[in-house]
Amino acid sequence: MLNIPHLINSQRTYFTTGKTMPIKVRLQALKKLYKSVKKHEGKIHEALFSDFKKPLYESISSETGIVVRELQLAIKQLEFWARPKKVKGSLLNFPARDYIYYEPYGTTLIIAPWNYPYQLALTPLIGAIAAGNTVVLKPSELTSATSQVLEMIIQEVFSSEHVAVVQGAIPETTELLSQRWDYIFFTGSVFVGKIVAQAAAKHLTPTTLELGGKNPCVVDASVNVSLVTKRIVWGKFLNAGQTCIAPDYILIESSIKTSFLQALEKEIKRAYSSDVEASPDFARIINEKNFDRLAKMLEGESISFGGQTDRDQLYIAPTIIDNPSIDSLVMADEIFGPILPVISYTSKADIERIIDRYEKPLSGYIFSRKRAFTNWFLERFSFGGGAVNDTVIQFVNEALPFGGVGHSGVGSYHGKHTFLTFSHAKAIVKKGNWLDIPIRYAPYKGKNKLLRFVLKWL
Ligand code: NAD
């Protein structure tokens, strides 16, 4: 096995030499990365297909396209992002000018999951490099083809003292986590997120934890059902439901449940044809373990549509479960697959009773034409982010911070937020020497009144 302590030492030494610091060097690295990811785009798409039959369109829209946009933005904006920012000074310090300096943390670790194995590895990496850190990247062991292409790209662009890939599963990740890092960025499950947080706490290492949750999607009777089902079917069955921000379950106002279920079925057939298994636009489940976990959720449930499974092909059809019990397996935890429970409600109290059962989710969605009801949902429930009258789309705007709250995560990223995540904001006051107001210096005798006055009025 690779000598991990040796690798980290070499990165620490490299960082200490200051080689990652000049903005010019960071820009060169990002441009080189851009060239390489463009050059190998075809290989990445092939790898994603071989890992879990990810449709080419979805690979472009949710993997390579996003990485290219993030790179373009970082290359365009880095000089501005990294410049010390002048902030309003305090008269208490007069005469002085106040600034925020952005400094890299140092040697950082990025651990990526399998569901968007390319994009969720490189998007944080772009910000980490832009901010001037070194990086050890641990891609997912479940998407071996994509992880190999990632390693090839990183080796082509960076020296291992700057950025290195460590492949592996639990033993390798455990060893990585036993080391001291200056920052850890983890994307994955809540269960492993807790392991990462514990390991980081030993060294007081700051972390970003991008985790998951059970994302509610509320639909009231004021909506245009056919438009709503289009947007829900797209967001739910993209990547075969293996999306951290996919709607997990639907809460539907009871008066439109029947027409909603019919419209869902119609939309699934329209999008993927009546023979979904043959559709080139529907991905597969990542492995047997996840297939078995999902197939178990179907047992004993009232399936209103779908339900077909093929273990050899790791195929599970887009499946709608009509009013499952709240105590059923499918409502126990994040589903993370192409199964959509639809539960009816008649009052706000019903909605509260269900959403409040779970930890704060990564996303929340509401479809409604009623402003007051929409605002109630947005203010009443805490979740990482979301959308009104759509699903998943909050992800594509780099101006929005992407992250969870509570059990769905700590911290956020995308665009400039990634640069900020990987930078320490250092507060600096530059004091002028032309005036030195004596009130703060001892002896303090006779100055209390003046101090009170100053504190009140400045
Ligand atoms: P996971 O937690 O099983 O694995 C994530 C990473 O942790 C992998 O690199 C894996 O090798 C490593 N790992 C696994 N078990 C470990 C252990 N015991 N000790 C140390 N490291 C370990 O997650 P996953 O199955 O790859 O991804 C699915 C989960 O990730 C879902 O819960 C989903 O919601 C979440 N997710 C969140 C986001 C987000 O942006 N918030 C994005 C994608 C996925």
Side-chain angles (χ1 to χ4, degrees), residues 112-115 138 141 173 187-189 192 210-212 244 334 402:
W114 56 265
N115 63 330
K138 211 298 283 174
E141 69 279 20
T173 319
T187 308
S189 60
V192 181
E210 293 281 339
L211 312 176
C244 53
E334 180 187 18
F402 181 83

Side-chain angles (χ1 to χ4, degrees), residues 79-333:
E79 279 186 310
F80 173 66
W81 292 346
R83 204 177 292 157
K85 298 278 174 308
K86 193 165 187 310
V87 297
K88 193 167 170 273
S90 166
L91 277 177
L92 292 170
N93 287 333
F94 185 82
R97 282 168 299 148
D98 296 12
Y99 295 88
I100 299 172
Y101 278 67
Y102 298 100
E103 67 176 18
Y105 281 101
T107 304
T108 68
L109 172 64
I110 296 174
I111 302 174
W114 56 265
N115 63 330
Y116 289 86
Y118 176 74
Q119 186 260 115
L120 293 175
L122 285 192
T123 305
L125 186 133
I126 292 164
I129 296 307
N133 300 280
T134 69
V135 180
V136 171
L137 170 66
K138 211 298 283 174
S140 176
E141 69 279 20
L142 301 188
T143 44
S144 53
T146 309
S147 297
Q148 288 308 324
V149 181
L150 272 170
E151 183 169 3
M152 186 260 291
I153 290 173
I154 296 298
Q155 283 179 350
E156 186 174 290
V157 176
F158 300 97
S159 69
S160 67
E161 306 152 300
H162 191 185
V163 183
V165 169
V166 172
Q167 303 280 9
I170 296 179
E172 292 78 5
T173 319
T174 305
E175 176 159 14
L176 285 168
L177 288 173
S178 71
Q179 307 296 316
R180 181 172 177 161
W181 299 92
D182 298 311
Y183 203 94
I184 301 176
F185 188 105
F186 171 79
T187 308
S189 60
V190 174
F191 176 77
V192 181
K194 289 180 185 173
I195 296 175
V196 173
Q198 274 173 10
K202 271 192 202 138
H203 300 290
L204 287 179
T205 300
T207 53
T208 294
L209 303 174
E210 293 281 339
L211 312 176
K214 212 158 171 62
N215 307 323
C217 177
V218 173
V219 182
D220 80 3
S222 69
V223 299
N224 169 341
V225 170
S226 73
L227 179 64
V228 169
T229 46
K230 250 192 220 164
R231 293 177 178 177
I232 289 176
V233 165
W234 170 75
K236 176 70 186 186
F237 300 114
L238 175 79
N239 217 32
Q242 302 164 111
T243 302
C244 53
I245 51 172
D248 188 277
Y249 60 98
I250 306 290
L251 294 174
I252 183 91
E253 193 161 0
S254 62
S255 60
I256 60 161
K257 196 182 93 180
T258 308
S259 60
F260 180 75
L261 288 175
Q262 285 163 355
L264 271 180
E265 180 176 339
K266 196 170 152 201
E267 178 54 23
I268 293 170
K269 286 181 181 159
R270 194 203 60 76
Y272 304 108
S273 82
S274 295
D275 183 6
V276 184
E277 194 164 4
S279 166
D281 297 329
F282 189 71
R284 293 299 178 259
I285 305 304
I286 188 67
N287 61 7
E288 280 84 5
K289 190 172 155 211
N290 274 287
F291 177 93
D292 293 341
R293 180 182 64 80
L294 290 162
K296 234 178 172 181
M297 290 180 190
L298 304 179
E299 287 170 14
E301 292 296 349
S302 159
I303 292 171
S304 85
F305 181 76
Q308 301 80 4
T309 61
D310 181 343
R311 196 172 193 270
D312 290 341
Q313 297 300 317
L314 293 173
Y315 168 76
I316 295 184
T319 299
I320 312 296
I321 299 186
D322 186 1
N323 261 342
S325 151
I326 202 72
D327 299 314
S328 61
L329 200 54
V330 78
M331 290 307 290
D333 249 319

Side-chain angles (χ1 to χ4, degrees), residues 324-370:
S325 151
I326 202 72
D327 299 314
S328 61
L329 200 54
V330 78
M331 290 307 290
D333 249 319
E334 180 187 18
I335 297 170
F336 217 58
I339 302 172
L340 185 61
V342 177
I343 300 173
S344 54
Y345 73 85
T346 53
S347 65
K348 282 182 180 169
D350 288 346
I351 297 175
E352 287 175 328
R353 206 169 30 249
I354 294 171
I355 297 181
D356 286 346
R357 282 177 69 102
Y358 303 103
E359 296 289 349
K360 294 176 180 177
L362 186 57
S363 344
Y365 302 107
I366 181 156
F367 287 83
S368 172
R369 285 189 174 137
K370 295 183 191 151

